[in-house]
Amino acid sequence: MKKLVLAALLLTAICTGISSAQKGGTLRGNVFDKATGEPLIFATVLLKTTTIGTVTDVDGFFSIGNIPAGNYEMLVTSIGFDSVTTKVVIKDGSIITQRVVLNERGIELGTVELSARKEAARSEIAISKVTITANQIKALPGTGGQADIAQYLPVLPGIISTGDQGGQIYIRGGSPIQNRILLDGMTIFNPFHSIGFYSVFETEVIKTVDVLTAGFDAEYGGRISAIVDLKTREGNRKRLAGLVSANPFQVKSVIEGPLKKFQEGGGSSSFLLTAKHSYIDKTSPVLYPYAVDTSFYPASGRDLTDKDRKRLPFSFTDLYGKLSFLANNGSKLNLFGFSFNDDVDYIGVAKLGWQNVGGGANFTLIPPNSNLVIGGTIAYSDYLIQLKEADQDPRSSSISNYNVKLNFTYYGLRNEFNYGFEVIGLDTRFKFKNFAGNTIEQNDNTTEIGGYLKYKTKIGNFIFEPSLRYQYYASQSKSSMEPRFGMKYNVTDWLRFKAAGGFYSQNLISSVNELDVVNLFVGFLTGPEERVTLPGSDKNAPHRLQKAAHAVVGAEIDLGKNLELNVEPYIKDFTQLIQINRNKLQPSDPNFVTEKGQAYGIDLTLRYETKKLYLWGTYSLAKVNRDDGEQVYPTIFDRRHNVNLLGTYKFGKDLAWEAALRWNLGSGFPFTQTQGFYQNFDFNGGLNNSPLTNNGSLGVILDEKRNGGRLPYYHRLDGSLKRVFKFGKYTSLEAVASATNMYDRENIFYFDRIRNKRVNQLPIMPTIGLTFNF
């Protein structure tokens, strides 16, 4: 509580200082696309003959404070749009609001050629941060002809995927539970479908995805590794529009339009609805029977046909809807809801299903007479997963979650101050029985409270961004004060150095163990309220939270007009990790065990972009280890070397053709080697079950050195060819031919020791898809 009072006093002092320092006037507003009413992201706003300027955010909003009084010409530009110049008069204490609408055009900027991307690079620290748009995702050679954020994330530096079927996403040494995935401000649990190729998010409605792989600032909390912050766009504010798409993997549709049409001087409202449903379980017996591992199934079984054996047993259905209301001064309100469903059915062997439903609202309030912008999110979701296996007790897990967040931002001429509060409520229900028959069960309600301060200032060629987060975990009666810091030094127009670091904590735990290569059952628990000990010791741990510290440095180098190089060494020190004790042999044994670990490495990214050609290359050198008190060992996702190459090229009349290739090379994952086998006889049948006349199950003797072996190298080439046929101004047909694993590389997924069988990842899978836009 003392820390909370101190933080409140600090906030009051900073706010008082900022208010007293306000001089000059404020210029703010929004920039929109005239054709659709969509906000224009990273549009450049400059006051001519001065060095005063900024770029718009994801909502097309800009604000510049403390502008000296005077007469100015405001220039607004965005690549692919006509520039606009407007005269503005700034007075001391005044707040001028401008609503700018830009027209599309087919030629590049002439004498005024401004790169919004490079302007953002000079004005934002952006270390260990990649911002992705829907167009970038769609440029990827997508599985089934449909690119998805789940396929794009592993292209980014420092991000590893362990497989096509039930594989997990690991970000710079952090496991999936240590990464917070946000959709319009609310946390999404289990955002990736079991098939592995697809997420619950619809690519067509993505506005931006911010991927923060390390050293993120105090605005984000509750996770110790990374943040993926996804924001959806609003529906078309000018006309009814949409699309229908089909391929062998899935069908989907999008419908959007205005409730009140966008006008240059007034408010507007719109709607957006999306739906997608998979058919791979229906099409795979016909198109891809060779891709299925049929050895999962028993030799014979009731109602188990050959078609059942040769089907990929995955299916999903995702629904999302959004209502958006925009005021004439830029204030806005969004209401959204979703239903995400996933099923896996190995007939007669195992059946898994999960559902995530929820909804909420987010808003931005721009008071007319204040240089304060207020934002917020109110949301609720409910996640339930169940697994039924033929020879084991069922498992289940559910988590209900609500979150309320408010944030406040002051804009100055060369500084920006942001603070906010967040309250998260969690209700978890978890039940799991391990191999020894011991049950781990948790029914818990808890609350997490967070608050943060963030100050950004520009001093000469330096940008500094100190921030502070306070986290309170009610179930632990424990608080965590987490200072963080970021900076950038613009050495020249083409060279920039940057650094970031901080301390992080979390309370949430996953049922997925870091030893699992594949585990489709993704359950959630809050942190233990019982005693936990230090790794390999009987001594009490100082707390029952998971904690980490990050440090990142980097350099951005503009090697040419269209060529950029980014280099980032990093380290993450996981000072305490908590997992379910799967080896619990006695009811008196603890339910949870602790570890510590480190992740460190260096990521290099090379990017080249012109109107026709886009090239992206990354190389990651990384090492990830864990220490359980008995030995230090590499994790199963410790990929020492990882290379990603992506290229897209547009050609033909009106650039109607697009070809894309993506190649990935990765060193082999670690695994624990086998020393031998034995007959495991448990006497569950009593004295009538004699080991002399009956067979026990096959037991495996593992090497004492954990993860001492390495699987072979992984490499895969994906490709696509796209053609757009235009029938009118808004009507078009997009045809895509694509292939995953083009040269049919047999990449090992894992080795089944009991069946003595190598299980490979998916083979070559060619597809054709059609998308009709209107």
Side-chain angles (χ1 to χ4, degrees):
M1 184 59 69
K2 291 181 180 179
K3 292 180 179 178
L4 187 60
V5 172
L6 289 173
L9 292 174
L10 178 62
L11 172 62
T12 303
I14 293 175
C15 290
T16 302
I18 290 177
S19 298
S20 62
Q22 295 294 317
K23 294 181 180 180
T26 297
L27 175 64
R28 67 187 184 192
N30 293 81
V31 182
F32 297 99
D33 179 351
K34 185 174 183 179
T36 64
E38 288 186 16
L40 291 179
I41 304 170
F42 300 142
T44 303
V45 181
L46 285 174
L47 297 183
K48 283 188 172 182
T49 70
T50 76
T51 59
I52 299 172
T54 188
V55 293
T56 57
D57 63 14
V58 295
D59 296 316
F61 177 76
F62 68 91
S63 182
I64 309 172
N66 306 121
I67 302 174
N71 298 328
Y72 298 92
E73 285 191 339
M74 180 184 71
L75 173 67
V76 181
T77 64
S78 184
I79 301 299
F81 291 83
D82 289 327
S83 59
V84 169
T85 301
T86 305
K87 292 183 178 180
V88 293
V89 179
I90 303 297
K91 298 179 181 179
D92 285 334
S94 67
I95 297 177
I96 307 299
T97 301
Q98 292 287 320
R99 185 168 177 152
V100 182
V101 178
L102 300 184
N103 288 302
E104 271 191 275
R105 57 184 173 74
I107 58 174
E108 296 297 316
L109 289 175
T111 56
V112 184
E113 186 170 331
L114 298 170
S115 170
R117 178 179 175 83
K118 290 188 177 181
E119 177 62 31
R122 288 190 289 265
S123 59
E124 301 291 335
I125 293 175
I127 188 168
S128 297
K129 177 182 178 181
V130 179
T131 298
I132 308 165
T133 64
N135 286 337
Q136 288 174 297
I137 298 172
K138 288 189 286 187
L140 189 74
T143 302
Q146 293 288 347
D148 188 276
I149 186 64
Q151 302 166 39
Y152 197 92
L153 284 176
V155 177
L156 302 180
I159 300 183
I160 298 295
S161 174
T162 55
D164 302 326
Q165 304 173 66
Q168 305 288 326
I169 295 291
Y170 299 87
I171 302 181
R172 279 186 173 171
S175 61
I177 188 60
Q178 295 155 8
N179 308 320
R180 189 177 183 186
I181 312 294
L182 297 168
L183 172 64
D184 291 327
M186 74 174 298
T187 302
I188 298 296
F189 300 95
N190 201 5
F192 304 111
H193 287 297
S194 300
I195 183 64
F197 290 130
Y198 299 107
S199 70
V200 299
F201 311 118
E202 172 50 54
T203 302
E204 298 291 343
V205 302
I206 289 176
K207 181 189 292 183
T208 60
V209 184
D210 288 333
V211 183
L212 300 99
T213 57
F216 48 91
D217 62 48
E219 183 177 352
Y220 299 100
R223 295 297 187 274
I224 60 173
S225 182
I227 302 293
V228 179
D229 189 357
L230 187 149
K231 296 179 176 65
T232 60
R233 63 178 177 83
E234 292 78 18
N236 195 307
R237 296 188 175 114
K238 299 285 282 190
R239 63 179 183 86
L240 186 67
L243 65 83
V244 179
S245 178
N247 60 68
F249 281 71
Q250 65 174 340
V251 295
K252 69 177 184 180
S253 63
V254 178
I255 184 74
E256 57 183 310
L259 300 173
K260 179 183 178 183
K261 285 191 175 183
F262 176 82
Q263 303 291 333
E264 292 191 23
S268 64
S269 57
S270 63
F271 73 92
L272 175 67
L273 297 171
T274 74
K276 60 181 178 184
H277 179 71
S278 68
Y279 283 99
I280 189 62
D281 57 329
K282 305 293 192 303
T283 59
S284 56
V286 178
L287 300 177
Y288 312 112
Y290 58 89
V292 182
D293 179 14
T294 59
S295 60
F296 277 107
Y297 297 105
S300 62
R302 188 179 63 181
D303 300 327
L304 192 62
T305 66
D306 186 60
K307 183 178 179 180
D308 292 330
R309 296 172 185 273
K310 293 182 179 180
R311 56 188 276 277
L312 288 167
F314 307 101
S315 64
F316 59 83
T317 302
D318 298 328
L319 304 173
Y320 178 82
K322 186 173 185 178
L323 294 174
S324 301
F325 305 89
L326 177 69
N328 58 359
N329 72 335
S331 296
K332 67 171 189 173
L333 170 66
N334 294 313
L335 306 174
F336 58 89
F338 62 84
S339 174
F340 305 139
N341 300 267
D342 187 273
D343 289 286
V344 182
D345 187 6
Y346 287 99
I347 299 173
V349 178
K351 183 175 177 61
L352 176 139
W354 59 258
Q355 181 183 47
N356 194 2
V357 296
N362 56 53
F363 66 89
T364 300
L365 179 62
I366 304 176
N369 299 314
S370 172
N371 194 23
L372 174 72
V373 176
I374 305 170
T377 301
I378 302 172
Y380 174 84
S381 69
D382 188 54
Y383 170 84
L384 171 65
I385 185 169
Q386 293 179 313
L387 173 63
K388 296 179 181 179
E389 296 177 281
D391 55 351
Q392 296 186 27
D393 292 321
R395 308 180 202 176
S396 64
S397 175
S398 67
I399 181 167
S400 299
N401 168 73
Y402 73 83
N403 69 293
V404 179
K405 182 177 181 179
L406 289 174
N407 57 75
F408 306 84
T409 305
Y410 289 90
Y411 294 92
L413 180 61
R414 301 191 184 279
N415 54 61
E416 182 180 314
F417 178 63
N418 180 256
Y419 67 94
F421 310 92
E422 184 176 29
V423 179
I424 297 175
L426 297 169
D427 181 2
T428 58
R429 300 286 184 268
F430 179 84
K431 188 174 183 179
F432 167 80
K433 183 177 286 188
N434 71 357
F435 70 96
N438 289 303
T439 299
I440 299 175
E441 187 170 1
Q442 184 191 83
N443 299 313
D444 198 12
N445 290 281
T446 188
T447 303
E448 298 178 6
I449 301 173
Y452 72 92
L453 309 170
K454 184 172 67 172
Y455 181 68
K456 175 183 171 183
T457 185
K458 299 178 183 178
I459 303 175
N461 291 333
F462 286 91
I463 304 172
F464 297 102
E465 191 176 83
S467 61
L468 178 68
R469 187 171 186 92
Y470 173 83
Q471 283 281 127
Y472 178 74
Y473 300 96
S475 64
Q476 307 292 344
S477 299
K478 183 73 175 178
S479 62
S480 178
M481 192 69 76
E482 300 167 6
R484 303 172 192 178
F485 180 77
M487 66 160 290
K488 175 173 279 187
Y489 175 45
N490 292 291
V491 183
T492 67
D493 286 341
W494 56 268
L495 176 62
R496 299 170 289 278
F497 294 126
K498 52 189 178 179
F503 296 90
Y504 307 86
S505 67
Q506 78 174 70
N507 190 39
L508 199 65
I509 297 173
S510 172
S511 65
V512 177
N513 193 285
E514 291 190 358
L515 301 178
D516 294 330
V517 177
V518 56
N519 189 338
L520 298 179
F521 181 78
V522 182
F524 297 93
L525 308 85
T526 54
E529 298 179 24
E530 62 190 60
R531 171 178 176 263
V532 295
T533 61
L534 294 172
S537 167
D538 196 44
K539 294 181 180 179
N540 288 344
H543 54 79
R544 293 168 297 192
L545 296 173
Q546 301 184 79
K547 290 196 172 186
H550 299 183
V552 196
V553 296
E556 298 172 359
I557 307 169
D558 297 333
L559 300 175
K561 180 181 176 182
N562 302 305
L563 184 62
E564 306 166 11
L565 173 65
N566 187 72
V567 182
E568 288 187 2
Y570 67 90
I571 183 171
K572 293 181 181 179
D573 186 17
F574 299 101
T575 54
Q576 180 161 286
L577 302 170
I578 301 176
Q579 297 183 5
I580 294 174
N581 183 10
R582 295 203 179 175
N583 296 321
K584 180 176 180 176
L585 299 177
Q586 302 294 331
S588 58
D589 290 343
N591 289 325
F592 301 91
V593 293
T594 62
E595 290 185 321
K596 58 184 179 180
Q598 281 191 334
Y600 51 91
I602 184 170
D603 293 329
L604 293 88
T605 305
L606 196 64
R607 174 191 176 115
Y608 177 82
E609 185 173 13
T610 64
K611 186 176 182 180
K612 295 182 179 181
L613 180 63
Y614 176 77
L615 299 174
W616 170 275
T618 67
Y619 168 71
S620 297
L621 174 65
K623 187 172 184 179
V624 186
N625 61 47
R626 297 289 185 259
D627 181 358
D628 63 0
E630 296 181 2
Q631 60 178 298
V632 177
Y633 63 94
T635 65
I636 57 98
F637 53 91
D638 175 38
R639 172 162 279 171
R640 188 74 69 249
H641 306 281
N642 195 49
V643 177
N644 271 289
L645 301 176
L646 171 65
T648 63
Y649 180 67
K650 296 180 180 179
F651 60 98
K653 184 179 179 182
D654 298 324
L655 302 181
W657 289 88
E658 181 179 275
L661 289 173
R662 181 249 175 151
W663 185 69
N664 178 214
L665 169 71
S667 57
F669 290 123
F671 73 99
T672 302
Q673 295 171 310
T674 303
Q675 280 194 334
F677 299 90
Y678 68 97
Q679 187 172 204
N680 182 25
F681 204 86
D682 54 22
F683 292 98
N684 285 335
L687 296 177
N688 295 326
N689 220 359
S690 171
L692 299 176
T693 57
N694 294 283
N695 293 321
S697 60
L698 184 64
V700 180
I701 303 173
L702 297 177
D703 186 22
E704 291 182 357
K705 185 178 181 181
R706 184 178 295 178
N707 291 340
R710 288 274 173 175
L711 296 175
Y713 264 70
Y714 167 98
H715 53 88
R716 193 181 87 184
L717 177 68
D718 302 338
S720 67
L721 183 63
K722 183 189 305 182
R723 173 70 159 94
V724 178
F725 302 90
K726 290 193 174 182
F727 307 119
K729 185 176 181 180
Y730 302 115
T731 308
S732 66
L733 178 67
E734 183 181 286
V736 181
S738 66
T740 302
N741 196 3
M742 290 179 67
Y743 49 76
D744 202 21
R745 161 75 175 180
E746 291 186 348
N747 289 303
I748 187 170
F749 193 3
Y750 63 93
F751 195 88
D752 190 322
R753 307 172 202 262
I754 301 299
R755 294 182 295 152
N756 192 32
K757 179 178 176 59
R758 168 176 167 153
V759 178
N760 288 328
Q761 303 200 45
L762 293 176
I764 183 171
M765 299 184 73
T767 57
I768 295 177
L770 296 174
T771 301
F772 179 71
N773 296 275
F774 59 91

